[in-house]
Amino acid sequence: MDRPALSPSSVIAEAAAISDESGFAAVTLTSVARRLGVKTPSLYSHVRDLAGLHDGITVLALGELSGLLSEAIAGRSGGPALRAYAATLREYALRSPGRWESLQRRAGAGAVGSAAARSYVSLTDAVLRGYPLSPVDRVHATRLIGSTINGFLALERIGSFSHREPDPESSWTAAIDALHSTLTEWSRADSSPDDEDPA
């Protein structure tokens, strides 16, 4: 039986599948070649090296997330947009754990500068434009949201929330509500008395 022709996208798709099944660390050129039924050197015509393979999964994940986020936040702003954004990330992390893990690393310049990465950043910024934030504050807020969501999901994944009440779902809701409140009040907290009109 003839094997399907290899391509960069098919190699990366197979690598992404391995990452979801066995963890991102399980993705090697050898493991991908074995799954595809080819010798490892055959992959070098389609991916530069292991770093390129890993970055390919990152770009794939960013592209998939961008498509899901675009649909989730369409027509929403403020709190509803933030909650839809956060829920989409959480669902993706649970459904595609290896691909999500590929985003929790320092990616190469090609992945960081990819169209998929720009789209993801743009969608995050679109959510934050629903709040009274300056351009600089949107950068700070992006880091705050990423830290909160990524930290929660990492702890949830290893079972850190399974030992006591209340259930993790209520904590998740409280965390996103707290983010919404913080973003809503950000400009007031950032203002100083000198910025206020005299009485």
Side-chain angles (χ1 to χ4, degrees), residues 28-111:
T28 65
L29 290 165
T30 300
S31 66
V32 174
R34 186 182 301 119
R35 282 278 291 263
L36 290 169
V38 299
K39 294 186 180 300
T40 301
S42 301
L43 300 184
Y44 288 106
S45 297
H46 309 286
V47 292
R48 182 184 70 251
D49 51 20
L50 181 59
L53 184 65
H54 286 170
D55 280 350
I57 300 174
T58 298
V59 173
L60 174 64
L62 287 169
E64 291 175 341
L65 264 176
S66 293
L68 294 169
L69 286 171
S70 180
E71 183 176 344
I73 69 173
R76 294 185 168 99
S77 64
L82 177 64
R83 293 182 183 93
Y85 175 94
T88 299
L89 296 188
R90 190 183 186 199
E91 290 163 6
Y92 188 83
L94 293 172
R95 184 175 66 250
S96 304
R99 298 175 204 222
W100 177 257
E101 193 177 350
S102 79
L103 302 175
Q104 315 308 311
R105 52 183 282 275
R106 189 182 183 114

Side-chain angles (χ1 to χ4, degrees), residues 112-170:
V112 173
S114 67
R118 291 194 298 273
S119 178
Y120 180 81
V121 170
S122 177
L123 288 162
T124 301
D125 196 58
V127 172
L128 292 175
R129 286 180 182 277
Y131 293 95
L133 303 171
S134 69
V136 171
D137 283 339
R138 287 202 300 273
V139 175
H140 297 316
T142 297
R143 293 169 179 169
L144 173 63
I145 291 172
S147 299
T148 302
I149 293 176
N150 292 348
F152 188 101
L153 295 181
L155 292 172
E156 183 178 42
R157 182 176 181 179
I158 63 175
S160 293
F161 302 144
S162 60
H163 306 298
R164 61 180 297 181
E165 297 294 334
D167 64 282
E169 199 62 40
S170 60

